[in-house]
C-alpha cells in the first residue's frame, strides 16, 4: 500500500484553494478533448479513493453545456477553470484541473488525450461516479 499524499493548488489570484488527498500512486493526468477543456488547456486529475477539498472566498462561477451533467467551476475573481463537479446520490465528486490550480506534480506533466464525445448520458455518469474524487466544496461569502 502506498501512503496517502496531500497536494495543494490555487487559482491565479488565490481566491480558490484546493487540497487533493490521493491514496494511490496511479493518478492519471488527462487532457479532455472537448472544446471547453482545450480552450483552458486543462489537465485533469482524479482519484476515486482520494478526497478533494475546494475552498473559495466567494461563490464559484458555474458553467454547464452539452449533456449538462456537470458544473464547470471558475474562480469568481480571476476566471481560472479549477475543476468540475457532479453531485449524485448525495455525494459531490470532482475532477480537478491541475493546470489551472498549478497543482504539483501534474501541472507540467504531459497529459493523456481523452475524447468522451461519443458517450451516452448514462455512460458519462457511470464513468464519473467510478473515477471522480469525492469532494467537499466550501464557498464563503465574498468579503
Ligand atoms: Zn482566482
Amino acid at each position: 500500500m502506498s501512503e496517502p499524499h496531500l497536494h495543494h493548488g490555487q487559482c491565479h489570484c488565490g481566491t480558490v484553494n484546493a487540497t487533493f488527498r490521493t491514496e494511490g500512486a496511479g493518478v492519471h493526468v488527462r487532457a479532455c478533448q472537448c472544446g471547453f477543456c482545450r480552450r483552458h488547456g486543462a489537465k485533469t486529475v482524479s482519484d476515486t479513493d482520494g478526497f478533494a477539498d475546494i475552498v473559495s472566498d466567494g461563490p464559484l462561477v458555474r458553467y454547464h453545456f452539452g449533456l449538462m451533467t456537470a458544473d464547470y467551476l471558475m474562480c469568481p475573481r480571476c476566471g481560472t477553470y479549477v475543476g468540475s463537479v457532479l453531485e449524485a446520490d448525495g455525494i459531490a465528486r470532482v475532477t480537478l484541473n491541475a493546470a489551472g490550480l498549478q497543482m504539483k506534480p501534474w501541472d507540467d506533466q504531459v497529459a493523456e488525450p481523452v475524447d468522451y464525445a461519443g458517450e451516452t448520458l448514462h455512460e458519462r455518469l457511470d464513468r464519473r461516479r467510478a473515477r471522480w474524487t469525492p469532494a467537499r466544496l466550501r464557498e464563503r461569502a465574498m468579503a
Side-chain angles (χ1 to χ4, degrees), residues 11-76:
C11 68
H12 187 263
C13 72
T15 295
V16 182
N17 281 270
T19 305
F20 181 25
R21 192 191 74 223
T22 60
E23 292 292 335
V27 174
H28 295 284
V29 188
R30 296 191 169 90
C32 174
Q33 297 300 296
C34 86
F36 180 85
C37 287
R38 284 310 89 227
R39 283 168 191 241
H40 287 272
K43 295 180 182 181
T44 57
V45 289
S46 63
D47 180 354
T48 189
D49 296 319
F51 192 81
D53 210 352
I54 298 174
V55 181
S56 175
D57 287 324
L60 291 159
V61 173
R62 291 165 182 262
Y63 175 64
H64 34 247
F65 62 94
L67 297 176
M68 314 286 268
T69 50
D71 282 350
Y72 291 74
L73 307 173
M74 263 77 63
C75 170

Side-chain angles (χ1 to χ4, degrees), residues 3 26 52 95 100:
E3 293 289 308
T95 178

